[in-house]
């Protein structure tokens, strides 16, 4: 991701993160207290339909595992990854870094702050940990790495011995500093003890939202925490509009089944997110998580059949679709947890969420199952499209299956993060 932020540009950063919009003057990217997070909601009719869909998903028995909808017109094709990146690229880190700096500016300027540390809580996929790493470089802070896994498992507290107490420090991934075992909790308890006593100096701590929910049980001390605020229909509209390449032709997006217009990007004057019920639905279903909303939006985009000339072009050479019209397919059925060994699979999924991802070799250390059985359970989840390894080899709940997994964990009374709790 490109980096365009400079530490001396606090005022410009604040201005850049505050998009002026006659209908919505809030910054597009904004960090505020976690307790101020307002989950987007559906209108009453949409909420009823969504509840019925959730019930169907909960009890649906998949005849074969698939995450591709077949309800759209059969002559439409999903975009390649390259095409999706060209017509609707993922956001860069710079706006989130600027928003973080804006939210922390007053605290950073205090010589004797009331709080020795600031907690930043990130939802899965939103890249808050990467933004904190970039911010550390801009601020000249010391980036702190988690202790080695073997030290965590042994309950070793040497991690804290050489802490950079004489400078601002940034720990972007607190979720990687503990394991849910008797010994694996010890290092994080020592960390919290040192933190509350002021022995660690001034720092910024990033933590995955699921790990934070668990760690609040380990360390039930009320502390203010910041979080990226929800992307409701307004923010999603502005985000999608901002991601459309400026030099490209406007894209007219139509619904693949009804043919009705869904959205035009970049937007024309006078367009309003109230005109686009798809965005309202997407914001509510993603619970305000922009990473989830963008994943589902991009995965639903379709293009008309390619011309004969285009068919001869390889995917690597393929440019953007040759038409300025795209189609939005119906929301696909989400992957579901197989009925066989469901309780065991839910335990694995919950473990992956609470730790922000887990190496496959560590799963048997965290669950009461044999190594071979854990590998079989992971294989089942992978085949179902619910989990898989990331580029670093850590197993995580998939973006395609995330909301489905949250829904079933909610139904089975598992511990949930703040964003997935009822209400």
């Amino acid at each position: 991701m490109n980096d365009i932020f400079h530490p001396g540009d606090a005022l410009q950063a604040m201005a850049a993160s505050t998009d002026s919009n006659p209908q919505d003057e809030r910054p597009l990217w904004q960090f505020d207290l976690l307790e101020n997070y307002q989950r987007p909601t559906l209108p009453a009719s949409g909420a009823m339909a969504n509840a019925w869909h959730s019930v169907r998903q909960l009890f649906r028995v998949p005849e074969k595992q698939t995450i591709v909808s077949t309800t759209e017109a059969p002559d439409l094709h999903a975009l390649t990854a390259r095409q999706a990146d060209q017509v609707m690229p993922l956001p860069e880190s710079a706006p989130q870094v600027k928003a973080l700096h804006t939210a922390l500016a007053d605290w950073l300027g205090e010589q004797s702050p009331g709080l020795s540390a600031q907690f930043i809580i990130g939802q899965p996929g939103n890249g808050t940990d990467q933004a904190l790493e970039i911010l550390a470089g801009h601020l000249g802070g010391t980036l702190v790495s988690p202790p080695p896994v073997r030290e965590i498992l042994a309950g070793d507290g040497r991690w804290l011995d050489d802490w950079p107490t004489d400078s601002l420090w940034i720990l972007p991934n607190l979720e990687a500093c503990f394991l849910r075992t008797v010994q694996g909790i010890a290092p994080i308890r020592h960390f919290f003890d040192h933190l509350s006593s002021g022995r660690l100096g001034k720092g910024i701590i990033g933590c995955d939202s699921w790990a934070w929910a668990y760690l609040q049980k380990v360390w039930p001390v009320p502390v203010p925490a910041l979080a990226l605020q929800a992307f409701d229909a307004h923010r999603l509209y502005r985000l999608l509009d901002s991601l459309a390449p400026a030099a490209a032709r406007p894209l007219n997006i139509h619904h693949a089944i009804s043919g009705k217009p869904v959205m035009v990007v970049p937007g024309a004057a006078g367009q309003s997110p109230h005109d686009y019920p798809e965005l309202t639905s997407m914001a509510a279903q993603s619970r305000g998580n922009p990473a989830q909303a963008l994943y589902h939006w991009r995965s639903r985009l379709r293009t008309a059949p390619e011309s004969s000339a285009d068919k001869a072009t390889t995917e690597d050479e393929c440019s953007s679709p040759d038409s300025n019209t795209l189609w939005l397919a119906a929301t696909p059925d989400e992957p579901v947890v197989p009925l066989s060994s469901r309780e065991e699979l839910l335990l694995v999924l919950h473990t992956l969420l609470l730790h922000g991802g887990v190496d496959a070799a560590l799963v048997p250390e965290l669950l009461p199952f044999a190594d071979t059985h854990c590998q079989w359970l992971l294989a089942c989840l992978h085949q179902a499209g619910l989990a898989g390894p990331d580029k670093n080899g850590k197993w995580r709940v998939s973006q395609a299956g995330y909301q489905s997994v949250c829904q079933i964990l909610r139904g089975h009374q598992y511990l949930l993060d703040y964003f997935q709790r009822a209400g």
Side-chain angles (χ1 to χ4, degrees), residues 110-177:
E110 295 177 9
Q111 295 299 319
S112 300
L115 293 170
S116 61
Q118 286 278 1
F119 286 90
I120 312 295
I121 310 306
Q123 294 193 66
N126 275 343
T128 304
D129 52 346
Q130 294 98 321
L132 282 170
E133 290 180 12
I134 296 171
L135 184 63
H138 294 326
L139 298 176
T142 302
L143 198 62
V144 179
S145 300
V149 169
R150 289 302 150 192
E151 285 188 17
I152 297 176
L153 286 172
D156 195 324
R158 288 178 295 173
W159 174 51
L160 300 172
D161 292 346
D162 299 320
W163 202 266
T165 57
D166 57 347
S167 65
L168 176 71
W169 51 266
I170 294 91
L171 173 61
N173 47 357
L174 188 63
E175 67 274 8
C177 300

Side-chain angles (χ1 to χ4, degrees), residues 64-310:
K64 60 181 180 179
Q65 299 298 337
T66 178
I67 59 172
V68 178
S69 172
T70 56
T71 55
E72 67 268 11
D75 58 344
L76 297 178
H77 303 299
L79 300 185
T80 66
R82 185 178 179 85
Q83 288 176 328
D85 286 341
Q86 289 179 335
V87 300
M88 193 58 63
L90 295 175
E92 298 177 344
S93 293
Q96 191 171 172
V97 176
K98 293 177 182 180
L100 271 171
H101 187 271
T102 298
L104 296 170
D106 289 343
W107 176 80
L108 288 168
E110 295 177 9
Q111 295 299 319
S112 300
L115 293 170
S116 61
Q118 286 278 1
F119 286 90
I120 312 295
I121 310 306
Q123 294 193 66
N126 275 343
T128 304
D129 52 346
Q130 294 98 321
L132 282 170
E133 290 180 12
I134 296 171
L135 184 63
H138 294 326
L139 298 176
T142 302
L143 198 62
V144 179
S145 300
V149 169
R150 289 302 150 192
E151 285 188 17
I152 297 176
L153 286 172
D156 195 324
R158 288 178 295 173
W159 174 51
L160 300 172
D161 292 346
D162 299 320
W163 202 266
T165 57
D166 57 347
S167 65
L168 176 71
W169 51 266
I170 294 91
L171 173 61
N173 47 357
L174 188 63
E175 67 274 8
C177 300
F178 78 98
L179 289 168
R180 196 176 47 166
T181 66
V182 174
Q183 294 297 322
I185 291 299
I188 206 72
R189 288 190 186 276
H190 294 321
F191 172 78
F192 284 138
D193 288 344
H194 281 61
L195 186 69
S196 58
S197 68
R199 281 178 282 173
L200 297 183
K202 187 173 181 177
I204 304 170
I205 304 165
C207 187
D208 179 87
S209 57
W210 288 82
W212 182 244
Y214 176 74
L215 291 175
Q216 286 185 298
K217 305 294 183 182
V218 175
W219 189 60
V221 177
V223 293
L226 302 179
L228 180 66
Q229 293 302 289
F231 273 65
D232 54 14
H234 275 283
R235 280 195 168 118
L236 274 182
Y237 170 81
R238 292 163 58 198
L239 178 61
L240 293 173
D241 192 61
S242 71
L243 293 175
R249 293 167 296 174
L251 284 174
N252 298 285
I253 302 173
H254 295 258
H255 201 282
I257 296 176
S258 68
K260 293 181 179 179
V262 173
M263 183 175 184
V264 178
V265 289
Q271 288 195 68
S272 163
H274 292 303
D275 300 329
Y276 307 116
E278 286 288 341
L279 295 184
T280 301
S281 175
M282 191 175 299
Q285 290 168 1
S286 67
R287 295 196 159 223
N289 183 334
Q292 273 285 297
L294 279 174
Y295 169 80
H296 287 291
W297 180 269
R298 282 162 51 100
S299 67
R300 290 172 62 189
L301 290 178
R302 300 289 184 267
T303 184
E306 299 170 335
S307 66
S308 57
D310 290 334

